[in-house]
Amino acid sequence: MSTAIKIEEKLFQNRYRVDAGRPHIAIKDPDVCAHQCKSQQCTVCCPAGCYTAEGNGAIALITDGCLECGTCRVICTEHRNVAWEYPRGGYGILFKFG
Amino acid sequence: MAEKFDAIVVGAGPSGNAAAYTLAKSGLKVLQIERGEYPGSKNVQGAILYADALERIIPDFRDDAPLERHIIEQRMWVLDDDSFVGTHYRSDGFNKPPYNRYTIIRAQFDKWFSGKVQQAGALLICETTVTDLLMDGPRVVGVRTDREGGSIYADVVILADGVNSVLARKAGFRPELDPGDVALAVKEIHFMPEEVVESRFNVADGAGVVIEMFGKITQGMMGTGFLYTNKDSITVGVGCMLSDFKAQQCSPYKLLEEMKAHPSIRPLLEGGEMKEYCAHLIPEGGYKAMPQLYGEGWMIVGDSGMFVNAVHREGSNLAMTTGRIAAETVIEVLAAGKACTAGNLSRYRAKLDDSFVMKDLKKYRELPGIFHRNPQFFTDYPELLNRAAHTMLKVDGIDKKTKEREIRRTFTRKRSLFGLMGDAFKLWRAFE
Ligand SMILES: Cc1cc2nc3c(=O)[nH]c(=O)nc-3n(C[C@H](O)[C@H](O)[C@H](O)COP(=O)(O)OP(=O)(O)OC[C@H]3O[C@@H](n4cnc5c(N)ncnc54)[C@H](O)[C@@H]3O)c2cc1C
Ligand code: SF4
Ligand code: SF4
């Protein structure tokens, strides 16, 4: 049996109130991701697949599916390149069950 | 002029609710601030509720709390790629009220607990994120929120804001989390008819089963899997240390997907409808990773203070207990007409040291380190155990004595006899 799964299919089950145009997480310096970070662990360890490696080494971050876990901030140990806040009150993931 | 409260509690998870409830019940003027749409909407747990901690706060909680199933059977599985060796402990003693452990669904449970907090007289505001602590020199005097005109003052601020505690970090009360001190857990909930849950797990009348798992499912990382029965759903999840996720470049949702496909797990989820996927950190660094817990006008409770006993999967009970004890300390200080200075709040730490909270965490303080330095507990041993069982149980004309010799040989081939004994000793010392 194949276990290939698209993360989008999982996130599709979740409820979100997206704060359009106000992402709560940002990459501080995109050049650091592109040129200094070899492992780019955020692209595999984010449980919502919010970070993707573009072909040219750059990292794209889209926080719409974010589960607000904190992983990306904690694991970016070498460069501390993630500016991480909670969304504004009431926005973001809304767990139905948790 | 901004309003002033006796206490502000940041967060409405189990620690914040326990604190706010205890404070409000004693007649203090309490404000509780929660960033979620409602309490629970940001929170994730397995989730096992230990009755004792809640009973000490709300003795009659069983009357109306949303409880899923009481646990009568605990399974412990050690998995290889396509097998497991396990123990089941089932007791009718656990099937007699008052029950000791329940499964819960956090979004519902937190909402219920919060209702009790509000009935006790605390003021709750939701959909509001606390962005900063207000300082007067070294003293915390209140909080700033993301609402307009959002500065609010109090004698003491209790940080019950969970594992990420942005506030404690910004204020310098705590350093950034170390990836070796936190686990990332991902989980899903699968719905199916109540009768299916009951027949699949051989239970009836609201009884339930929990399965804790380790071995190959964590793909060599330090961590565990779990599967819990709710009323008409099953929770399945896996958690591993963030340092391991990072080192192995492992995708958490792929890990969960592969675990669900294990031939011993898949049939238990058969036909279920997946309705939510969650992720959350668990502070597992234990006693040695604990930050300063109080200061001038502030206290830290629950996950924010790293109060989790990873060995026994206890977190919510420590959260409730630390919340309650912090509140009791504040009540005493204010009743004596004193200020919430660090000196006066230090009773909080003393009371914790005296309670099961610190005693347990201290007891296991060496374990996280041992597991970090000895990955064989999560790799070689599960495999060896399963192979041993397979060898012994397979009927193939080879005599049992020869089989035993073969098992002993594979064990020592993987790990020297000295290593095996050393591991047993290390574990014994850490659990002792
Ligand atoms: C997958 C998983 C399984 C677990 N299983 C178990 C188990 O079976 N049994 C057990 O006892 N424990 C378990 N735990 C641990 C348990 O969930 C935690 O220990 C417990 O939730 C801690 O409670 P808390 O109140 O300290 O923090 P939380 O429950 O995280 O609550 C913190 C609250 O503060 C709010 N908040 C945070 N920052 C702000 C801010 N700036 N402004 C306003 N509000 C804010 C959050 O929205 C949240 O409501 C598990 C944890 C996980 C992740
Ligand atoms: S781990 Fe940090 S520095 Fe590296 S790519 Fe990700 S965000 Fe950038
Ligand atoms: S907080 Fe968690 S879910 Fe959100 S982007 Fe970071 S790693 Fe991904």
Side-chain angles (χ1 to χ4, degrees):
Chain A
M1 196 191 101
S2 159
T3 54
I5 176 123
K6 283 208 167 67
I7 184 64
E8 293 78 14
E9 288 170 24
K10 286 188 189 292
L11 300 179
F12 183 71
Q13 301 299 326
N14 294 356
R15 228 179 104 222
Y16 292 94
R17 188 147 122 228
V18 175
D19 200 357
R22 288 179 66 155
H24 58 286
I25 306 175
I27 288 173
K28 291 182 195 164
D29 181 353
D31 280 349
V32 170
C33 299
H35 303 298
Q36 291 173 39
C37 183
K38 295 202 178 58
S39 45
Q40 301 197 328
Q41 57 271 22
C42 56
T43 60
V44 283
C45 296
C46 167
C50 293
Y51 292 78
T52 38
E54 315 266 83
N56 54 3
I59 298 289
L61 165 62
I62 298 172
T63 57
D64 293 4
C66 175
L67 300 163
E68 299 167 26
C69 68
T71 295
C72 53
R73 186 194 77 244
V74 177
I75 57 162
C76 184
T77 44
E78 288 83 5
H79 304 289
R80 294 263 179 251
N81 202 25
V82 177
W84 197 95
E85 295 285 342
Y86 286 121
R88 270 197 294 166
Y91 288 92
I93 182 71
L94 300 168
F95 289 123
K96 297 168 284 185
F97 308 104
Chain B
M1 180 56 207
E3 262 193 275
K4 167 127 192 280
F5 291 82
D6 293 323
I8 293 172
V9 178
V10 183
S15 66
N17 283 337
Y21 181 86
T22 309
L23 290 165
K25 213 129 199 224
S26 81
L28 292 177
K29 192 173 165 199
V30 183
L31 173 68
Q32 191 183 25
I33 306 172
E34 165 59 45
R35 66 188 188 89
E37 180 187 40
Y38 56 84
S41 66
K42 296 291 183 183
N43 301 343
V44 178
Q45 191 177 327
I48 310 289
L49 172 78
Y50 305 95
D52 178 72
L54 183 55
E55 222 164 16
R56 285 169 199 267
I57 300 165
I58 304 180
D60 57 359
F61 75 92
R62 293 181 179 84
D63 292 350
D64 52 6
L67 305 169
E68 293 288 310
R69 289 180 181 275
H70 60 274
I71 311 302
I72 63 161
E73 182 177 322
Q74 167 107 21
R75 302 181 186 173
M76 199 82 89
W77 288 4
V78 183
L79 296 104
D80 198 1
D81 287 326
D82 56 5
S83 62
F84 75 86
V85 174
T87 59
H88 292 195
Y89 180 70
R90 181 178 175 120
S91 167
D92 212 41
F94 285 140
N95 210 3
K96 294 187 179 68
Y99 306 121
N100 181 256
R101 292 189 300 165
Y102 299 88
T103 45
I104 54 168
I105 288 177
R106 273 291 295 274
Q108 293 159 12
F109 178 82
D110 287 5
K111 214 192 243 175
W112 166 85
F113 200 167
S114 174
K116 297 285 174 192
V117 173
Q118 292 168 73
Q119 275 168 31
L123 176 64
L124 168 73
I125 47 173
C126 289
E127 304 197 299
T128 305
T129 302
V130 174
T131 50
D132 291 287
L133 297 176
L134 296 173
M135 309 292 295
D136 178 7
R139 262 187 69 74
V140 172
V141 293
V143 300
R144 185 178 297 119
T145 72
D146 62 355
R147 296 232 181 169
E148 227 170 290
S151 292
I152 315 161
Y153 294 84
D155 288 334
V156 64
V157 174
I158 298 183
L159 297 175
D161 54 345
V163 58
N164 276 301
S165 192
V166 176
L167 293 171
R169 222 168 352 99
K170 270 194 197 163
F173 300 159
R174 202 182 88 171
E176 177 58 279
L177 295 164
D178 185 302
D181 286 337
V182 276
L184 167 67
V186 286
K187 59 167 258 192
E188 290 177 358
I189 189 163
H190 292 247
F191 280 79
M192 58 189 73
E194 203 171 324
E195 314 82 73
V196 174
V197 175
E198 299 202 331
S199 66
R200 211 167 266 183
F201 290 86
N202 188 24
V203 288
D205 306 323
V209 173
V210 304
I211 312 180
E212 307 287 358
M213 307 175 223
F214 68 107
K216 280 294 177 67
I217 46 164
T218 60
Q219 306 187 0
M221 296 184 287
M222 170 175 165
T224 54
F226 55 91
L227 188 150
Y228 300 155
T229 55
N230 304 315
K231 193 163 281 151
D232 56 356
S233 64
I234 286 175
T235 296
V236 60
V238 59
C240 298
M241 299 313 292
L242 261 190
S243 47
D244 286 352
F245 272 119
K246 183 184 167 198
Q248 295 207 10
Q249 295 266 328
C250 178
S251 151
Y253 51 91
K254 286 202 187 106
L255 185 72
L256 177 59
E257 225 31 52
E258 279 158 23
M259 168 179 155
K260 281 162 51 196
H262 190 283
S264 303
I265 299 171
R266 198 175 51 219
L268 298 175
L269 299 170
E270 192 69 48
E273 192 191 346
M274 198 279 263
K275 290 206 180 165
E276 189 171 75
Y277 165 69
C278 309
H280 205 280
L281 295 182
I282 310 178
E284 298 203 341
Y287 191 76
K288 291 186 164 177
M290 204 165 273
Q292 175 66 22
L293 297 170
Y294 61 91
E296 300 291 333
W298 59 273
M299 303 168 103
I300 292 183
V301 298
D303 274 10
S304 177
M306 305 286 268
F307 289 107
V308 166
N309 181 340
V311 179
H312 289 272
R313 288 191 156 282
E314 294 177 23
S316 63
N317 58 330
L318 302 189
M320 288 181 208
T321 306
T322 53
R324 171 175 63 78
I325 293 178
E328 287 168 356
T329 309
V330 169
I331 293 167
E332 284 166 21
V333 169
L334 294 181
K338 294 187 192 154
C340 290
T341 59
N344 291 333
L345 294 179
S346 66
R347 282 284 301 146
Y348 169 48
R349 173 73 204 220
K351 287 180 188 209
L352 288 178
D353 283 338
D354 245 9
S355 72
F356 79 97
V357 173
M358 287 298 190
K359 286 183 185 158
D360 282 359
L361 291 174
K362 216 166 171 175
K363 177 171 151 76
Y364 296 125
R365 67 188 176 280
E366 302 298 343
L367 264 185
I370 290 176
F371 284 135
H372 272 302
R373 289 189 300 273
N374 300 276
Q376 66 274 15
F377 287 116
F378 298 90
T379 51
D380 293 349
Y381 287 167
E383 190 184 324
L384 289 168
L385 260 179
N386 277 274
R387 258 199 246 154
H390 193 85
T391 307
M392 275 320 264
L393 295 172
K394 194 170 164 197
V395 176
D396 52 7
I398 299 173
D399 68 278
K400 301 295 185 263
K401 190 110 200 160
T402 307
K403 286 188 180 214
E404 272 172 26
R405 251 200 314 274
E406 172 55 26
I407 290 169
R408 208 170 307 134
R409 230 187 350 257
T410 40
F411 265 84
T412 42
R413 206 181 300 137
K414 272 272 183 190
R415 194 137 169 79
S416 72
L417 196 58
F418 189 70
L420 284 174
M421 283 168 58
D423 286 346
F425 181 70
K426 275 180 237 163
L427 266 194
W428 172 69
R429 284 297 303 269
F431 273 99
E432 188 206 19

